[in-house]
Amino acid sequence: MQLAAALQGAAAFGALYEHVARSRLQEKDGSAQALAAAEIAVQLAPWSAAAWTDLGWAHARRQDRSGALRAADAAIRVSPADAYRWQERAELLAAFQDFGPEYERSLSRAYERGPHWAVLQRQNALTGARAWRWGSPRTQAIWRAGQQYNLRWRPDAFRRELVRAGLDDRFCATTGTALGQQEWCERAARVRNCCGGKIAPDVLDWC
């Protein structure tokens, strides 16, 4: 009973520090506080893959690539079948502009475990638009699958996300036409030209 109560208490405090770490990660100058909270969270709940993932992003905020990947690997050891943990490892590598073999391996593992996960497909679609030229053929195939998924199930929302992220021109220059978006791409280009290279997400709704 005492052991169970102690574990429950540790889990509760671990979850609290996970929340603190995520909150600090959203703040402009919160990287040091996020790292401190994330380190406490994994000490209190080392079985929490989410806590290790938060620690990875806290290290990334401080430009610590090795620390970020060590935490990502710990999250995978805790939950090796979880597609999201592999996806987060890929996204951490992407944050360091690393789209090489390690990125491809992590992305492939995520895709194999969750080929129909909407959140993964969204991330892949946007990352592909941003970093297409740096991807291997396998990586590009996964990115393209994410774009196809989003254009099928949430086309308007996806196109608005491209515009909001400033990725519509990159998307159109790489895969947009091949994915049947030529008309939209031409419209986006006209609006961008008329607005001095900057467009708001809602402008395309009426142009």
Side-chain angles (χ1 to χ4, degrees):
M1 290 292 291
Q2 290 180 339
L3 177 59
L7 289 174
Q8 288 178 351
F13 278 109
L16 173 62
Y17 277 99
E18 282 182 45
H19 175 74
V20 172
R22 290 173 191 167
S23 297
R24 294 294 183 266
L25 282 170
Q26 304 302 317
E27 298 175 2
K28 183 178 180 180
D29 300 319
S31 61
Q33 297 93 329
L35 181 60
E39 287 177 338
I40 293 173
V42 297
Q43 291 171 11
L44 289 170
W47 57 81
S48 171
W52 285 107
T53 297
D54 291 340
L55 179 59
W57 283 109
H59 279 297
R61 276 286 302 273
R62 298 177 67 81
Q63 299 301 310
D64 181 359
R65 183 181 187 278
S66 61
L69 293 181
R70 281 197 304 272
D73 290 339
I76 289 170
R77 284 194 296 273
V78 170
S79 187
D82 187 345
Y84 190 71
R85 301 308 154 196
W86 287 100
Q87 183 78 16
E88 286 294 286
R89 190 179 194 278
E91 292 300 316
L92 281 166
L93 288 163
F96 289 96
Q97 300 300 309
D98 182 352
F99 297 97
E102 278 296 295
Y103 178 87
E104 179 186 324
R105 182 176 74 90
S106 299
L107 189 71
S108 295
R109 295 285 179 84
Y111 188 72
E112 290 163 3
R113 288 159 173 76
H116 304 299
W117 283 24
V119 64
L120 271 60
Q121 296 287 16
R122 177 180 176 274
Q123 288 179 339
N124 291 339
L126 293 172
T127 302
R130 176 168 61 88
W132 184 263
R133 61 175 176 162
W134 294 303
S136 68
R138 169 62 175 166
T139 294
Q140 289 180 344
I142 295 174
W143 286 342
R144 186 186 296 110
Q147 292 171 352
Q148 290 172 323
Y149 179 96
N150 280 271
L151 287 169
R152 178 179 181 183
W153 296 109
R154 50 191 300 273
D156 293 336
F158 175 55
R159 288 189 288 253
R160 283 194 295 272
E161 287 170 349
L162 287 171
V163 173
R164 189 175 295 111
L167 295 173
D168 53 292
D169 54 343
R170 295 190 190 186
F171 169 74
C172 292
T174 53
T175 56
T177 299
L179 294 176
Q181 300 303 300
Q182 182 172 354
E183 180 180 349
W184 181 83
C185 286
E186 290 174 351
R187 185 152 46 99
R190 287 197 301 272
V191 174
R192 186 176 292 279
N193 290 336
C194 290
C195 299
K198 297 180 180 179
I199 55 178
D202 57 340
V203 171
L204 293 179
D205 291 339
W206 54 266
C207 289

